[in-house]
Amino acid sequence: MDTPTDLSAPLAEASITTGGVARRLGVSPTTVRSWERRYGIGPSGHEAGRHRRWTPQDVAVLEAMCRLTARGVPPAEAARLARGGALARLPQGRAETGEPRESGGGRTLPLGTVRPECRGLGRAAVRLDAPVVERLLDVAVADLGLVTAWDEVMMPALRAVGRKWAVEGERYVEVEHLLSWHVSGALRRVTRCIDPPAPVAPVLLAGMPRELHSLPLEAVAAALSGRGIPFRMFGPAVPPAALVESVRRIGPSAALLWSQSRDTADTRLAQLAAATAWGPRGARARPAVLLGGPGWSGAGRIPGTLRPRRLTESLVHLETLAAP
């Protein structure tokens, strides 16, 4: 689901299935079913033993729900408004078009083609509406799963905020800080330290010595947690000696080293980490080193390392490497 389809197109008189509704409105079937389960936005009639069918009136309510959530209205509130036929009565502080009522104009993010959940998140962040930002993040993780929520909701919004303040100067730094803090909170709420019953070497997660970004590492930690894979998170700016010593002490199955920009990518340290061994003589082992982030793009091929491009690719490698 990249963008909603044309919601103004006339609806067919015949009832349609949940999958058909999802395709028509540009949302996932999982989201439609979740809204029905959580907020009562569903078909008005259902015969036992038959697929659920949506009437034009049912679809109109769901259409209103889509419009409201895309504008940043919390799902529970959007459901109440949609069921009451009150699409135009948005909460105070939002215009009927869904844009925040703020002076000065131009306070929108350059999001491009994104999911409605991401667009709503971006608008809430620009308004500095922390409660809505928090709710939208939690709903995105619950409805879409962590990986999809990160790739298609959180990351596009974070990148757009970064582009915005880079163009506008420091005007929008507060938006980035607020959004980053809440994204970190949403990731931490679904992250648990794993103590597997079988002996499994943990994954080491660390930022390069001068690297201050840690949200991608937090996303990996949350995803590993959901897969039952143990990890050790050291966060940003890990000193070289501490990184190497941690490899020796932990004996990780893999080490993911994050670099957001080229000036923080240290190829010599990556090579040293890949060459660091642990264990008794005759049975010594070395970690698989994954180089994460755009900072490694100009580093060339580093022996003994892998360079995943996305969170999903990193998880495939780490899940394989962590297998007992």
Side-chain angles (χ1 to χ4, degrees):
M1 175 190 73
D2 287 329
T3 56
T5 55
D6 182 6
L7 301 182
S8 63
L11 296 170
E13 289 302 319
S15 60
I16 57 178
T17 65
T18 297
V21 170
R23 286 190 297 273
R24 181 178 185 86
L25 300 183
V27 297
S28 71
T30 301
T31 298
V32 174
R33 295 187 187 100
S34 174
W35 284 351
E36 180 182 359
R37 184 176 66 254
R38 293 178 181 214
Y39 310 118
I41 300 292
S44 53
H46 173 58
E47 297 181 27
R50 301 189 64 181
H51 289 295
R52 304 178 75 79
R53 309 288 297 190
W54 296 69
T55 67
Q57 292 75 25
D58 297 331
V59 179
V61 175
L62 184 60
E63 174 189 80
M65 178 84 172
C66 290
R67 285 177 172 165
L68 289 162
T69 55
R71 296 169 183 175
V73 179
E77 186 179 0
R80 180 181 62 79
L81 291 170
R83 287 196 304 268
L87 178 60
R89 297 199 302 273
L90 293 178
Q92 186 176 5
R94 299 180 180 93
E96 190 177 26
T97 60
E99 298 296 339
R101 288 178 179 169
E102 299 180 70
S103 61
R107 295 194 179 184
T108 57
L109 295 179
L111 286 165
T113 301
V114 293
R115 304 181 75 110
E117 295 94 334
C118 179
R119 196 167 298 282
L121 177 63
R123 287 170 172 161
V126 169
R127 295 194 305 271
L128 302 180
D129 194 338
V132 172
V133 168
E134 183 173 290
R135 285 195 293 268
L136 291 176
L137 287 168
D138 286 345
V139 169
V141 172
D143 288 355
L144 305 175
L146 186 132
V147 174
T148 300
W150 171 258
D151 283 340
E152 301 184 20
V153 179
M154 299 178 189
M155 276 303 296
L158 288 165
R159 289 193 187 106
V161 171
R163 289 193 297 267
K164 187 72 171 177
W165 74 255
V167 172
E168 299 282 347
E170 294 189 355
R171 279 185 63 202
Y172 288 86
V173 171
E174 74 281 4
V175 177
E176 183 186 40
H177 284 203
L178 180 137
L179 180 59
S180 297
W181 191 85
H182 282 284
V183 167
S184 178
L187 295 172
R188 293 291 295 275
R189 282 192 289 278
V190 296
T191 303
R192 297 291 181 271
C193 288
I194 304 300
D195 187 12
V200 177
V203 172
L204 187 153
L205 305 173
M208 296 305 287
R210 293 184 294 128
E211 179 55 61
L212 301 180
H213 292 80
S214 64
L215 283 179
L217 292 174
E218 294 177 38
V220 174
L224 292 175
S225 169
R227 286 162 169 75
I229 299 173
F231 64 89
R232 300 294 183 267
M233 164 67 87
F234 293 98
V238 180
L243 176 59
V244 173
E245 182 62 20
S246 296
V247 172
R248 289 199 183 100
R249 292 179 61 188
I250 293 171
S253 60
L256 175 60
L257 308 181
W258 184 265
S259 172
Q260 185 72 23
S261 59
R262 292 189 180 186
D263 61 348
T264 66
D266 187 334
T267 57
R268 294 180 63 183
L269 181 55
Q271 290 173 324
L272 181 58
T276 299
W278 66 88
R281 290 185 179 181
R284 296 178 75 78
R286 292 177 175 81
V289 172
L290 280 65
L291 306 179
W296 298 105
S297 60
R301 178 75 175 91
I302 302 176
T305 67
L306 300 169
R307 192 174 298 170
R309 304 296 179 183
R310 294 174 63 86
L311 175 58
T312 49
E313 187 181 349
S314 298
L315 294 175
V316 169
H317 287 305
L318 295 174
E319 204 161 12
T320 301
L321 293 165

